[in-house]
Amino acid sequence: MNISHIEHIGIAVNSLDEAIPYYENMLGLKCYAIEEVADQKVKTAFFMVGETKLELLESTSPDGPVGKFLEKKGQGVHHLAFAVDNVNDSLNELGEKGVQLIDKTSRKGAEGLNIGFLHPKASMGVLTEICGKE
Ligand code: CMX
């Protein structure tokens, strides 16, 4: 498994309409894409920061992962995503090493990337995603 960089940092927000102007007007970043990921029950907004993206996450349903997170913890950093060469190969490798997986096989996430999540209990409390084109 080869992690090349931090692909994105996911940040849970109550409202994209409220959060985007902060990142654009205060921090001077540019939102380059807004996309709904129905499978994950979120609407996402992306900003490029060097080689890494910020992914703002607005929940589209209270029973989705971000809806539950917002209710329990409020707005804030939700997950860290590492870029890997091949998501399924990496999930297999991590599973064989005994890492607790949320996803045993990859699914489709925002920007057409393959994604898979590791359980936060396995990563010292950090919900961790691996993602890639393969
Ligand atoms: N970061 C760290 N810990 C988290 C967490 C997060 N984002 N979300 C939940 N947890 C912790 C909870 O605090 C809880 O800990 P305790 O047992 O100590 O209280 C534990 O994980 C279980 O949480 P829960 O609320 O009982 O369980 P959920 O039903 O909310 O499931 C999780 C949690 C992580 C398994 C679920 O959110 C999940 O499957 N996430 C992966 C998918 C996802 O997050 N998608 C949204 C982003 C999509 C995208 O980027 O496109």
Side-chain angles (χ1 to χ4, degrees), residues 2-6 51 82-85:
N2 177 32
I3 292 176
S4 57
H5 62 286
I6 294 175
E51 210 182 343
F82 294 115
V84 296
D85 294 339

Side-chain angles (χ1 to χ4, degrees), residues 2-75:
N2 177 32
I3 292 176
S4 57
H5 62 286
I6 294 175
E7 211 279 338
H8 66 266
I9 297 166
I11 299 169
V13 300
N14 292 332
S15 156
L16 290 184
D17 286 344
E18 285 174 13
I20 290 170
Y22 166 76
Y23 284 91
E24 292 200 322
N25 301 333
M26 302 298 151
L27 301 189
L29 298 171
K30 177 87 192 112
C31 175
Y32 70 86
I34 292 179
E35 180 183 347
E36 183 164 343
V37 185
D39 181 46
Q40 299 285 335
K41 299 183 177 174
V42 289
K43 203 160 107 183
T44 64
F46 282 97
F47 301 79
M48 205 77 220
V49 189
E51 210 182 343
T52 300
K53 297 162 190 161
L54 295 183
E55 179 189 34
L56 302 186
L57 298 154
E58 177 188 283
S59 175
T60 56
S61 165
D63 68 352
V66 173
K68 285 186 185 174
F69 178 90
L70 285 167
E71 196 190 329
K72 206 167 169 181
K73 301 194 178 183
Q75 301 186 101

Side-chain angles (χ1 to χ4, degrees), residues 8 10 37 40 42 44 46 55 57 64-66 68-69 72-73 77-79 102-103 107 109-110 115 117-121 125-127 129:
H8 66 266
V37 185
Q40 299 285 335
V42 289
T44 64
F46 282 97
E55 179 189 34
L57 298 154
V66 173
K68 285 186 185 174
F69 178 90
K72 206 167 169 181
K73 301 194 178 183
V77 174
H78 180 261
H79 68 270
I102 293 171
D103 299 306
R107 34 184 170 160
I115 64 169
F117 282 90
L118 321 185
H119 201 280
K121 300 272 184 215
V126 179
L127 176 61
E129 176 183 339

Side-chain angles (χ1 to χ4, degrees), residues 91-128:
L91 289 172
N92 286 339
E93 186 182 324
L94 290 163
E96 280 168 12
K97 286 177 174 167
V99 175
Q100 189 183 346
L101 305 175
I102 293 171
D103 299 306
K104 289 197 170 61
T105 56
S106 69
R107 34 184 170 160
K108 280 287 171 203
E111 304 196 304
L113 292 179
N114 294 325
I115 64 169
F117 282 90
L118 321 185
H119 201 280
K121 300 272 184 215
S123 311
M124 280 60 71
V126 179
L127 176 61
T128 302

